[in-house]
Amino acid sequence: MKRLLRTQQTRGFTIAEMVIVITIIGVLLTVGFTVFPTAQRDARDHQRETNMKLLAAQLDLYFTENGHYPIDQSMKTSAGYTWVKNNLPGFPITGLIAPNAPPGTTNSIATSGPATRTNYRYYAYQADGSGCFYTAEPPAPGDPEPEDCVSFQIDYYSEAKGQVLNVKSRRR
């Protein structure tokens, strides 16, 4: 008879406990989804800045050894990939690729147009401050010689700041 009078105890969570747990999970997911894109953006910006500072340091070493910086056209797209690979052995070749560059890109350095999320911009300068670039391929008479390139500037885009930042040669 005692067995029949015993009440059954149920085990499990109450509705209040379930609501609290679901609310906590929701808050954590909301915080995670708002912080994650910012962290990714900051990581891409840091990668851009690090790559360009390292490239600038390597270009300064190149100047020390050769007495000039590369002319604009030496640094762009496929020519730049080959030039950097052959002339800047201390620079990791993957550093030429911007974080948001399209798949298959080997060099994100451009010599025309502004720096964007998908490319960098390299400018070489002569002593008088004018550009150090060829007006035609092959170079036209009167175009600067590579030996005329005495300073440079590399522009890169900061997503966090929404503006173009730059790294300059030490000899400017």
Side-chain angles (χ1 to χ4, degrees), residues 31-52:
V31 169
F33 281 124
T34 56
V35 170
F36 187 66
T38 302
Q40 284 184 315
R41 180 198 68 203
D42 291 347
R44 287 190 301 269
D45 279 351
H46 180 71
Q47 182 181 0
R48 283 184 196 96
E49 180 181 14
T50 301
N51 288 345
M52 294 304 98

Side-chain angles (χ1 to χ4, degrees), residues 121-133:
R121 175 68 168 87
Y122 174 80
Y123 302 89
Y125 297 102
Q126 299 178 61
D128 65 2
S130 61
C132 199
F133 57 88

Side-chain angles (χ1 to χ4, degrees), residues 5-21:
L5 294 177
R6 252 189 200 169
T7 58
Q8 295 252 341
Q9 289 186 358
T10 57
R11 295 182 186 225
F13 297 107
T14 66
I15 290 179
E17 291 170 329
M18 293 295 287
V19 168
I20 290 170
V21 168

Side-chain angles (χ1 to χ4, degrees), residues 17-104:
E17 291 170 329
M18 293 295 287
V19 168
I20 290 170
V21 168
I22 290 171
T23 303
I24 291 171
I25 290 172
V27 168
L28 291 174
L29 286 173
T30 302
V31 169
F33 281 124
T34 56
V35 170
F36 187 66
T38 302
Q40 284 184 315
R41 180 198 68 203
D42 291 347
R44 287 190 301 269
D45 279 351
H46 180 71
Q47 182 181 0
R48 283 184 196 96
E49 180 181 14
T50 301
N51 288 345
M52 294 304 98
K53 285 183 176 180
L54 181 57
L55 180 58
Q58 289 291 307
L59 288 168
D60 282 329
L61 286 174
Y62 177 85
F63 183 94
T64 301
E65 294 174 7
N66 298 284
H68 64 88
Y69 291 106
I71 203 157
D72 276 9
Q73 283 85 344
S74 298
M75 296 296 291
K76 69 179 181 179
T77 58
S78 60
Y81 175 87
T82 303
W83 189 91
V84 168
K85 190 174 178 182
N86 293 337
N87 293 286
L88 303 178
F91 184 74
I93 204 68
T94 56
L96 292 174
I97 305 168
N100 289 26

